[in-house]
């Protein structure tokens, strides 16, 4: 059932897009890989899950997951990034790894390592469009992704704050000389990135109806691949690469067997890195000059 | 020595080799987050050689090291185009591809894993681990190491004064991959069972952690890091459920107060009562 597969792939791709965007907001501006984003996503998922089962409506659950993840993102920035910002790139990356170890352990202790299941009554209606079935949650994921990406694009492209962000991404030192407060913007990038990861977590947890503390590990690495394929420097890349990889994955599972899919995704990522390091949609400029 | 501590000691010897494999590559300014894959190649190849072909273990380890070294050099060639975090992400991709390959490699068990290897003692593990650590420390006193440092500090300048930076970087990758393969072979024969999940992203990260925690500027730093990484969680057993969180916190604290890692040149000098070189 090809069309059904495409729809499922699109939903998975939407989540990749959000998470890839979350990675690239920090990566594009600071050049570091925030490995804790995968765990912010997972924690967001659990918070949303907990709120829904406690009887709160969906918007509250989404907001809860978003705020929770954003608050942790602030802590990570303050404790794990600020003091290390002039260290070699691998050092702050490993401090975010420290946070990811902590968050995973805390989640395991709070919610247990067994998968949590959403009771059946929380699954929304199924709509049939001819031969294709779309769940209510699936629709919400797709719509929310479009809205959130548009929102982030608006913030980054149109607001003074976004202009400053792009200036810092372009050249931190020059931006500082021109009076842009790099510190405040760094914090902003972390908050935006954390919020997105949190929302993505709630959406995917409710869509699948199940969650484990290892959700972040499974999807996080994939999201990094999506970020690279789309290009670490702009937003539209993730919007194209997310659905592309989501669909490619679902199709390889459907027609090639479930285990070749990682091979395909990461192979494609390496190919992009080598042949088009600026990503699918990136312009001519690429920044590969950073030192480890 | 109880078997419990013996197995922890063997584990840290295996981790030491993995850490050294990252250290050698890092010395030329390249960060590899995919060395778990080279470890996996060494584990699978050496296991197959000893189990299916009855090759003696030491020979099997050497063959796997050479094979992984060649693969490492081949991988490094296209990777020369990438730097910094981009190279790191490419090595993540490579690592995941290799893991995925073993997952589908039904001839050697696929996701079910592979077994039948002869068990090796902790002494044999440390013969390799100690030997390679000494070799790395000797390498650190050589001209080759100075060239690697030059590439690490400023590749363009190193090229301008006539160093062959391409050979240095590819060589480091090849040697690093070979050392990781030995680590894998020892792992396989110590645990007498391997599965693809043993050689994933977590493992690669563990290697880097050992190097950065222990000290990324001196070879023995990897020794400190791997002992710490294996034994520390054991000392944290009393707080059983929370020990990973405690470990994560300690990791962040060490990075914050000592970003060069626990061991560096000045600490070695202090410990050995040697005066600083002028």
């Amino acid at each position: 059932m090809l069309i059904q597969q495409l729809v499922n792939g699109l939903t998975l791709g939407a989540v990749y897009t959000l998470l890839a965007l979350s990675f690239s907001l920090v990566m594009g501006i600071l050049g570091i890989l925030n490995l804790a984003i995968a765990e912010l996503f997972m924690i967001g998922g659990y918070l949303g899950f907990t709120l829904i089962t406690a009887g709160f409506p969906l918007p509250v659950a989404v907001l809860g997951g978003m705020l929770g993840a954003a608050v942790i993102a602030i802590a990570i920035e303050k404790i794990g990034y600020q003091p290390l910002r002039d260290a070699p790139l691998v050092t702050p990356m490993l401090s975010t790894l420290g946070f990811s170890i902590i968050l995973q352990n805390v989640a395991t202790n709070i919610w247990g390592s067994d998968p949590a299941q959403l009771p059946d009554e929380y699954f929304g209606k199924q709509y049939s469009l001819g031969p294709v079935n779309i769940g209510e949650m699936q629709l919400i994921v797709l719509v929310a992704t479009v809205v959130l990406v548009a929102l982030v694009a608006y913030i980054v492209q149109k607001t003074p704050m976004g202009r400053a962000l792009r200036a810092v991404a372009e050249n931190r030192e020059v931006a500082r000389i021109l009076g842009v407060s790099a510190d405040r913007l760094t914090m902003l990038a972390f908050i935006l990135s954390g919020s997105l990861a949190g929302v993505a977590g709630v959406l995917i947890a409710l869509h699948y109806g199940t969650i484990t503390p290892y959700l972040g590990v499974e999807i996080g690495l994939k999201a990094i691949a999506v970020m690279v394929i789309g290009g670490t420097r702009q937003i539209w890349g993730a919007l194209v690469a997310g659905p592309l990889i989501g669909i490619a994955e679902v199709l390889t599972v459907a027609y090639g067997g479930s285990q070749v899919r990682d091979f395909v995704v990461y192979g494609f990522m390496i190919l992009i890195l080598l042949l088009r390091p600026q990503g699918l949609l990136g312009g001519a400029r690429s920044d590969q000059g950073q030192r480890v | 020595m109880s078997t419990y501590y013996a197995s922890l000691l063997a584990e840290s010897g295996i981790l030491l080799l993995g850490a050294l494999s990252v250290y050698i590559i890092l010395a030329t300014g390249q960060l590899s987050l995919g060395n778990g894959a080279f470890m996996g190649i060494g584990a699978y190849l050496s296991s197959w050689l000893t189990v299916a072909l009855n090759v003696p273990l030491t020979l099997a380890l050497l063959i796997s090291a050479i094979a992984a070294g060649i693969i490492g050099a081949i991988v490094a060639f296209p990777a020369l185009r990438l730097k910094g975090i981009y190279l790191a992400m490419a090595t993540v991709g490579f690592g995941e591809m290799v893991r995925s390959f073993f997952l589908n490699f039904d001839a050697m068990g696929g996701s079910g894993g592979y077994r039948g290897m002869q068990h090796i003692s902790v002494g044999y593990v440390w013969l390799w681990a100690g030997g390679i650590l000494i070799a790395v420390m000797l390498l650190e006193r050589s001209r080759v190491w100075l060239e690697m440092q030059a590439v690490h500090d400023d590749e363009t300048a190193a090229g301008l004064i006539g160093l062959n930076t391409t050979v240095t970087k590819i060589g480091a990758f090849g040697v690093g991959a070979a050392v990781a393969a030995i680590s894998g072979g020892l792992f396989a024969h110590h645990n007498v069972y391997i599965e693809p999940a043993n050689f994933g992203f977590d493992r690669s990260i563990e290697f880097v952690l050992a190097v950065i925690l222990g000290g990324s500027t001196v070879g023995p730093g990897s020794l400190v890091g791997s002992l710490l990484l294996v034994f520390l969680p054991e000392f944290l057993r009393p707080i059983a459920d929370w020990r990973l969180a405690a470990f994560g916190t300690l990791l962040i604290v060490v990075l914050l107060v000592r970003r060069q890692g626990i061991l560096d040149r000045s600490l070695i000098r202090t410990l050995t009562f040697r005066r600083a070189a002028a």
Side-chain angles (χ1 to χ4, degrees), chain A residues 22 31 150 162 194 214 220 241-242 250 253 255 277:
Chain A
S22 171
Y214 316 109
V250 172
V253 172
Y255 300 106

Side-chain angles (χ1 to χ4, degrees), chain B residues 101-118:
Chain B
F101 170 79
F102 285 128
L103 215 50
N104 292 290
F105 189 42
D106 292 328
M108 285 188 77
S111 59
Y114 189 76
R115 61 187 81 233
M117 292 75 92
Q118 63 185 97

Side-chain angles (χ1 to χ4, degrees), chain A residues 27 105 109 232 259 269 288, chain B residues 83 85-86 89 104 241 245:
Chain A
M27 175 84 191
N105 189 228
N109 281 323
T232 52
Q259 285 169 344
M269 175 185 105
Q288 304 162 67
Chain B
K83 287 198 170 62
I85 211 79
Y86 290 89
M89 289 191 293
N104 292 290
D241 285 351

Side-chain angles (χ1 to χ4, degrees), chain B residues 208-222:
Chain B
V208 179
L209 261 185
V211 175
I212 303 292
L213 267 187
S216 56
T217 52
V218 284
S222 299

